[in-house]
Amino acid sequence: MEMSNAHVLKKEIKQFKVDLVERAGSEGALIYLLQSAQESYGYIPEKVIHYIGEVVGIPAAEIYGVITFYSQFRLRPLGKYVIKICEGTACHVNNGKTILRALQDELGITVGETTEDGLFSLQSVACLGCCSLAPVMMINDETHGSLTANKVKKILKGYREDGLTDSSGT
Amino acid sequence: MTEIRVGLGTCGISAGGRAVFDAFEQVVGSSREGISLCETGCMGMCYEEVLVEIVENGNRYLYGRVTPEKARDIFEHHVRNKQPVDEWIIKNRVNSEREAFFEKQRRIVLRHCGHIDPGSIDDYLANGGYRAIQKVLKEMSPEDVIECIKNSGLRGRGGGGFPTGLKWQFARQASGKKKYVICNADEGDPGAFMDRSVLEGDPHSVIEGMMIAATAIGADEGYIYVRAEYPKAVRRLRNAIDQCQERGFLGRGIFGSTHDFSIKIKEGAGAFVCGEETALIASIEGKRGVPRLRPPFPAHQGLWGRPTNINNVETFANIPWIVMNGYETFAGMGTEKSKGTKVFALAGKIVRSGLAEIPMGMTINEIVFDVGGGIRNGKEFKAVQMGGPSGGCIPASMGDLKIDYDEITRTGAIMGSGGLIVLDEDTCMVDLAKFFLTFTQNESCGKCTFCRIGTKRMLEILERITDGEGREEDLALLEDLAEKIKSSSLCGLGQTAPNPVLTTLKYFRSEYEAHIREKKCPAHTCKALIEYRIDPELCTGCTLCAKKCPVQAIEGETKAPHRVVQDKCIRCGLCFDVCPRGAVVRI
């Protein structure tokens, strides 16, 4: 997983390094740089924290403080498909808990974990903002609405098939 | 010329809009010219997605619940053979009450949403876009603009309700050469999607509003702080800003004037507290988004210590309309102290969920029943929740309450940014209060002790109550903690965090008491307090419930009454939902 990603992400890492050089001096660039690093590596490796710290002149401890403050940043790699289950009000009153349970049963992981095959990570978010489609989840950039436990199974099946064919194809 | 517009907001896409768009693209591609296919933003009727609009010689036909198959039929019959497919057109449906969704609305902020192609600056220009800023640059002094906004009576749509014109005046009068304008698009309330829809459906109107604010206060740099969870909104904004730069609408000397203005996008990294203006500023500066004491207010010392004006997405989207149509028209709508319109995101147990813009002064009943079409499945209307985790529940008995900042505040709820969740008899108010407190407890930045620890203690009490272990003195303890959290927190998050608990205690106290004294959940929601049983008289032994039960907790022979094994039952309610005879009872 790490190896193949390293190859694919070479371009992005280059982009991150360009960003780092270009934006290092500009005010308030830290969050942007962390976002760029995460985009490149899939997460924020410890080495990168020190690296950014040296270039922009902010202590690593302070950068760590910023990373842990915002829910977007993660210190561990994620699965190929990131499932964000909405815990907003509309989803809550429309039985969102059942959907979460279906996801957990189907994937065998709980919120915050990644499946062993590296395909899925499960996260919960406060609100995805498409309440009229409650209950809702997002897989990578795709939103899936009006979910039922059965629909969840079908959707996951589709991703699983895509995920497996993708990796055997390359 | 025939135009086919497919609603591709986030709601449209999740309902399968892309497949519909692709289906049209295929058939249009093989057809002759004179037909254009484009995507548009959220039309507001999320309950009818996927929506497709066919515009022909000025006539508009709106199709609802379109599938790729229907798309091909619509193309064949309507576009090619000029025979509209009546049964799928929303306005022609048997029940014309569907039309009522729009009838009572007044669209100012959403004037372009769903009607123009948000990816095209030319479409915006063709619909009167960027005329307000040119009028401001040519004909109005900064003072004129501020006076106009002050007279319009526009108040901050992010929820605070502070007069916008006054805010601008403070920033204008603040000393300092360098000033900033910030658009707060960190829409974080669970249950709210107004700003997302505006940014996705009409990004240029927000940019134009920011340009006008910048001209009025003398700022040359702007930031849009938008949630990274709204990828589509971010893309649309970037595209809109690029287009503006190409045309010279942004950058040096905008529209050929002497005024410089540029806009940068900052993607929020996921922290609810960053919706608070001082926390938002800290976040743009690249720090942890922790609020600070005010004063000094951002108007005097904001971003990087310079005077800064922050307004919400909806507030900015109102500005160009007010400049073009005059403050009198705007002030002519609404109540004495709340002018204009308010966009609400209707969701929950309502028939027509979606985005509705209503004139201030309309009653809650009108919104729920006339615009929203009433409660789903014929259930009873219990309450509305307004203002998200900072707001509260207003009971159905107060349905005549007018939408007005001050009237809503008097109930203990707040206008908030526009989330309006409709609740029915099946919603447990204690559970709902717990839900919101879980949210604020998670999102507390931890700076103020009472917000950090007090909300945790309140949450523990609520968990105890919903688990059937509540104590008689718990309600007094909740109220005591709530008062202390409100009075000793620095920012709006803590000051309002107890509101969901306080309003439900005020209006639905008996529900709390039933949980504590009788160990019963009147809405049958709290799992520790309910039990499913099968009525042997009604059960025919069809085995449907036993098949559906995820934990095999239902026993019984075929064609003989079944029973629930309570030790195994996880109280998911599936058996209750699937029983065709109503033999499963919940007690």
Side-chain angles (χ1 to χ4, degrees), chain B residues 436-505:
Chain B
F436 281 117
L437 211 62
T438 311
F439 179 84
T440 30
Q441 209 278 317
N442 263 328
E443 294 291 342
S444 168
C445 79
K447 184 168 183 168
C448 308
T449 315
F450 268 92
C451 177
R452 182 179 72 240
I453 302 172
T455 54
K456 179 83 182 155
R457 294 290 95 85
M458 282 181 81
L459 184 59
E460 285 165 0
I461 298 171
L462 290 173
E463 277 167 354
R464 189 154 82 207
I465 295 175
T466 53
D467 281 344
E469 284 155 23
R471 304 170 198 151
E472 198 58 44
E473 66 274 17
D474 277 348
L475 299 187
L477 192 55
L478 277 176
E479 281 165 331
D480 184 42
L481 277 167
E483 278 320 310
K484 295 200 164 101
I485 294 168
K486 276 171 99 92
S487 57
S488 52
S489 298
L490 201 57
C491 84
L493 190 148
Q495 286 162 8
T496 59
N499 283 351
V501 179
L502 287 175
T503 51
T504 46
L505 266 174

Side-chain angles (χ1 to χ4, degrees), chain B residues 317-338:
Chain B
N318 269 301
I319 303 289
W321 192 93
I322 295 173
V323 170
M324 288 317 288
N325 295 276
Y327 63 83
E328 303 91 342
T329 327
F330 191 82
M333 278 177 277
T335 60
E336 195 195 334
K337 288 193 173 152
S338 303

